[in-house]
Amino acid sequence: MHVKNILTAFLTAPLAFATAFALPPPEDSHHSAPSADKFCENDGMVLRPKSDFPNTPIGRTNYNMQSVKMEQAILCLVNWDRRHEHVRQLYITKLIGKTKYRGLGGAAYDHATAAAKLRWWGTVAQYPSCTPRRDDPRRCDPHINPQTRSTPTKRAEDAGYGRGCTKWRVGENAYTAWGNEGLTPLDAFIWWMRSDVHRANMRDPDWETMRMVVVYGSADPGAGANAPGATYVQMFGRCWK
């Protein structure tokens, strides 16, 4: 079955955009991305739809735990690469207790959910109300929501990231696939590693924390209505106190 992958990276430095689509591995790469069937725990996991789980507290918990396990797999893969590059290891910060501020995880979830629902990560011809990419006006910018016009920085700010920081910075990578292949955390990581901008984003020495959310369904408007799909949004952050 034909599988279409769209990968994009957003590097924030006053609203500067950087995007790439399925680029081949660069010849000057210092080391190759892992190609084993199992490199990090759950890196070959495929997100199952909510309908596969009973509508009970345990069923809902097990459904949500899928994304948590896949986030840990991506973190393992990213930190594997950063160790080779002698760059600080990333960690995951989760907010505890009742708070309206959800941080990078909330921003990533909102964007991934909206992308899978609206499915604008294609061409302007397919989704005329989207914001065109700066480097390719024929294609939609997947990092700007066509309804809210939010950017990664705005979504992070709205989710409370940066509170208490003297300054802060965020970055975003995104990936979507549909069909029977390309749906796992390892697939997303390898695609990001094959792109200069995605790889640079994952290796950026500024970052100290990472959050990643995967939701069921493809953000690609060309995806089949009933085809399995996955949409990943990976966010990085740095807070200077």
Side-chain angles (χ1 to χ4, degrees):
M1 179 180 294
H2 173 67
V3 179
K4 184 175 181 181
N5 299 288
I6 300 177
L7 18 146
T8 55
F10 181 94
L11 306 177
T12 54
L15 296 181
F17 290 83
T19 57
F21 290 78
L23 297 180
E27 295 180 358
D28 62 348
S29 178
H30 296 298
H31 57 283
S32 300
S35 58
D37 291 337
K38 186 176 179 61
F39 188 83
C40 288
E41 186 176 7
N42 297 313
D43 66 13
M45 189 174 178
V46 174
L47 190 73
R48 294 161 54 197
K50 189 175 291 186
S51 59
D52 280 3
F53 298 83
N55 188 21
T56 63
I58 292 178
R60 291 189 290 271
T61 297
N62 288 339
Y63 170 74
N64 292 329
M65 282 301 296
Q66 294 181 105
S67 184
V68 174
K69 292 177 180 178
M70 295 166 86
E71 178 184 46
Q72 290 289 346
I74 289 285
L75 180 67
C76 169
L77 291 164
V78 171
N79 277 338
W80 164 84
D81 179 63
R82 289 173 71 92
R83 279 194 299 274
H84 282 78
E85 295 300 305
H86 306 291
V87 181
R88 78 168 79 197
Q89 298 288 278
L90 302 180
Y91 58 88
I92 291 173
T93 300
K94 296 190 177 181
L95 303 177
I96 301 174
K98 294 183 178 180
T99 175
K100 66 179 180 178
Y101 302 112
R102 300 178 299 139
L104 292 183
Y109 176 80
D110 289 348
H111 192 53
T113 302
K117 178 181 178 181
L118 300 177
R119 296 170 65 179
W120 79 86
W121 295 6
T123 66
V124 174
Q126 290 171 308
Y127 208 105
S129 64
C130 73
T131 300
R133 286 171 48 186
R134 293 184 180 182
D135 62 331
D136 185 356
R138 297 169 301 175
R139 303 197 66 86
C140 295
D141 190 321
H143 298 287
I144 301 180
N145 184 302
Q147 291 186 346
T148 66
R149 304 298 172 187
S150 67
T151 64
T153 299
K154 181 68 167 90
R155 289 188 290 272
E157 183 178 33
D158 289 346
Y161 189 77
R163 292 175 60 86
C165 307
T166 57
K167 67 175 182 176
W168 57 276
R169 175 175 174 245
V170 298
E172 182 178 277
N173 281 350
Y175 171 87
T176 195
W178 60 273
N180 294 323
E181 299 176 356
L183 305 177
T184 72
L186 185 56
D187 291 320
F189 176 74
I190 288 175
W191 276 116
W192 287 331
M193 283 289 288
R194 288 174 173 170
S195 160
D196 289 343
V197 289
H198 296 84
R199 189 174 61 254
N201 207 10
M202 291 191 292
R203 292 178 177 177
D204 191 321
D206 266 359
W207 305 140
E208 60 185 4
T209 186
M210 186 208 86
R211 293 304 311 269
M212 194 282 298
V213 171
V214 56
V215 300
Y216 189 82
S218 174
D220 182 352
N226 298 315
T231 297
Y232 290 72
V233 173
Q234 176 189 48
M235 293 202 73
F236 303 95
R238 174 72 184 273
C239 168
W240 285 267
K241 297 294 186 179

